């Protein structure tokens, strides 16, 4: 049996999206899903404003810190700092294809240097007590995904990685933009299934293009965990079904009134510390996708919430436009 069975469903680390406000919001929708930070570069962890970069609310647990880097010494120090901050897991990014990542010779570039990735994992494992995991691609550029993924997985798992999350699409570092790389080349889920068949005793999770909880559930016939990315962000309402569908909790009508109170209280505290309402509400606009009142909800959060001086009452006004009964019926 694979390790980490509690992490059957996770919400992917997404640059510029899964910040602490997004994670607090997502945690109100699911108590059990594993949350991930945006990727934070090891150098920034070591030398930057740590509270701003790493701070999070206790309700976010379980929450993992994703690190970017390729220097075992720096990653080790960053992992130690992350553990001190209270994160439940450290994850190494071996999958992001952005120009910013390429310029730092980490992210998806590391698919080309699997021995270095294994060295980084071993160094972090030796320095922290919490799990160390890896998120990778099936390959990069002209690599053959069969040997490329096997070599990477063999190395990091032998080095002690507690889980391997695989985005089932090649990363193209040349010839495609990161946006184009979201659709091209095609997803290859069977490649990840074959990896799991080889690694029966290790946790192998899958990521990439999964649009629904039903789709996620189907993958669990082949792998140990499923990671939702853009679907969780753009249609976060689907997360209200996670705890019943994946963790055996009794199905129940979601308490939207409690959600209003939680988010309004969180917003008020953020504003008191000098923040803006829009920092929080930008993550919430897709909550009631397709339901009565959703359009007005989006309008208020996209306009009024970004006006100077906007307070938590704007958030309550947006929620008041929505037919909660319809939302509960849709969830059921």
């Amino acid at each position: 049996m694979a390790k980490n069975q509690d992490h059957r469903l996770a919400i992917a680390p997404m640059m510029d999206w899964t910040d602490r406000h997004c994670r607090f919001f997502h945690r109100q929708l699911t108590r059990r899903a594993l949350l991930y930070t945006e990727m934070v570069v090891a150098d920034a962890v070591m030398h930057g404003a740590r509270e701003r970069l790493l701070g999070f609310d206790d309700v976010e647990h379980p929450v993992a810190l994703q690190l970017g880097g390729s220097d075992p010494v720096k990653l080790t120090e960053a992992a130690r700092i992350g553990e001190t901050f209270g994160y439940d897991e450290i994850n190494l990014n071996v999958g992001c294809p952005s120009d910013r990542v390429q310029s730092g010779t980490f992210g998806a570039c590391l698919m080309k240097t699997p021995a270095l990735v294994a060295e980084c994992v071993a160094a972090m494992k030796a320095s922290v007590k919490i799990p160390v995991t890896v998120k990778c691609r099936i390959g990069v550029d002209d690599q053959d995904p069969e040997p490329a993924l096997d070599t990477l997985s063999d190395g990091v798992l032998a080095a002690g990685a507690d889980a391997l999350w695989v985005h089932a699409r090649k990363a193209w570092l040349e010839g495609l933009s990161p946006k184009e790389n979201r659709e091209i080349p095609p997803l290859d889920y069977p490649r990840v299934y074959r990896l799991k068949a080889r690694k029966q005793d290790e946790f192998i999770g899958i990521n990439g293009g999964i649009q629904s909880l039903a789709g996620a559930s189907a993958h669990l016939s082949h792998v140990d965990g499923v990671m939702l990315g853009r679907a969780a962000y753009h249609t976060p309402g689907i997360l209200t079904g996670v705890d019943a569908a994946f963790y055996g909790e009794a199905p129940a009508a979601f308490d939207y009134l409690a959600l209003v109170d939680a988010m309004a209280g969180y917003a008020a505290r953020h504003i008191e510390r000098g923040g803006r309402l829009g920092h929080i509400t930008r993550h919430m606009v897709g909550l009631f996708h397709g339901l009565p009142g959703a359009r007005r909800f989006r309008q208020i959060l996209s306009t009024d919430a970004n006006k100077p001086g906007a307070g938590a009452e704007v958030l309550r006004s947006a929620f008041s436009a929505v037919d909660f009964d319809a939302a509960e019926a849709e969830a059921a």
Side-chain angles (χ1 to χ4, degrees):
M1 183 176 179
K3 301 173 280 188
N4 299 331
Q5 287 298 321
D6 284 346
H7 297 159
R8 290 168 61 80
L9 191 128
I11 300 174
M14 292 175 280
M15 293 292 290
D16 301 321
W17 287 1
T18 51
D19 62 16
R20 62 189 301 172
H21 309 307
C22 177
R23 298 192 306 270
F24 182 92
F25 169 51
H26 284 173
R27 182 55 74 215
Q28 309 312 306
L29 307 178
T30 166
R31 295 189 311 109
R32 302 290 296 275
L34 175 62
L35 306 181
Y36 279 83
T37 69
E38 306 169 84
M39 182 190 71
V40 186
V41 177
D43 277 312
V45 173
M46 294 168 61
H47 306 297
R50 291 180 185 172
E51 178 57 35
R52 179 178 62 80
L53 291 168
L54 301 180
F56 65 94
D57 193 291
D58 281 346
V59 304
E60 293 176 39
H61 291 292
V63 58
L65 170 64
Q66 187 183 64
L67 294 176
S70 57
D71 183 324
V73 174
K74 292 179 179 179
L75 284 168
T76 294
E77 179 61 22
R80 287 178 182 147
I81 294 168
E83 183 177 47
T84 300
F85 262 77
Y87 283 96
D88 300 295
E89 172 187 315
I90 302 297
N91 178 267
L92 178 61
N93 184 320
V94 188
C96 181
S98 75
D99 293 339
R100 182 168 27 165
V101 167
Q102 290 185 56
S103 66
T105 62
F106 49 90
C109 300
L110 290 176
M111 291 295 300
K112 298 178 179 179
T113 55
L116 175 59
V117 178
E119 183 182 350
C120 291
V121 169
M124 289 189 287
K125 281 291 293 181
S127 69
V128 299
K129 296 179 180 179
I130 57 177
V132 173
T133 67
V134 172
K135 186 170 186 289
C136 69
R137 295 290 187 121
I138 60 173
V140 61
D141 293 340
D142 293 325
Q143 282 184 331
D144 180 341
E146 295 299 326
L149 184 57
D150 281 349
T151 301
L152 187 284
S153 63
D154 288 349
V156 300
L157 293 170
D162 295 281
L164 181 64
W165 292 95
V166 185
H167 185 141
R169 191 194 309 273
K170 264 191 176 186
W172 283 91
L173 305 180
E174 297 180 7
L176 289 176
S177 70
K179 182 177 181 180
E180 291 170 327
N181 198 191
R182 294 181 196 136
E183 305 294 335
I184 305 170
L187 288 156
D188 187 355
Y189 297 134
R191 177 63 192 96
V192 187
Y193 301 164
R194 291 193 295 276
L195 174 64
K196 175 57 193 176
R198 287 184 61 240
K199 301 291 185 181
Q200 289 292 316
D201 297 329
E202 305 289 352
F203 183 101
I204 305 297
I206 199 166
N207 170 230
I210 302 164
Q211 299 298 320
S212 66
L213 297 190
S217 182
H219 284 294
L220 288 176
S221 298
H222 305 279
V223 294
D224 303 300
V226 180
M227 186 175 273
L228 295 177
R230 300 172 72 80
Y233 190 84
H234 290 307
T235 55
I238 68 174
L239 299 179
T240 63
V242 164
D243 296 349
F246 295 91
Y247 295 97
E249 298 194 2
F254 186 76
D255 191 343
Y256 284 98
L257 295 180
L259 174 63
V260 176
D261 288 340
M263 295 311 301
Y266 179 80
R269 295 190 296 274
H270 178 60
I271 292 166
E272 287 174 5
R273 294 193 295 266
R276 300 198 309 272
L277 182 63
H279 294 159
I280 299 165
T281 56
R282 74 186 185 96
H283 303 298
M284 301 174 63
V285 293
L287 178 59
F288 297 108
H289 182 75
L291 297 175
R295 183 178 180 183
R296 180 61 182 146
F297 178 82
R298 290 194 301 271
Q299 287 174 337
I300 294 172
L301 294 191
S302 299
T303 56
D304 295 357
N306 290 300
K307 293 179 179 177
E313 70 281 356
V314 174
L315 189 56
R316 292 189 181 277
S317 175
F319 273 96
S320 70
V322 180
D323 181 348
F324 288 156
D325 290 336
E328 291 171 1
E330 178 78 9

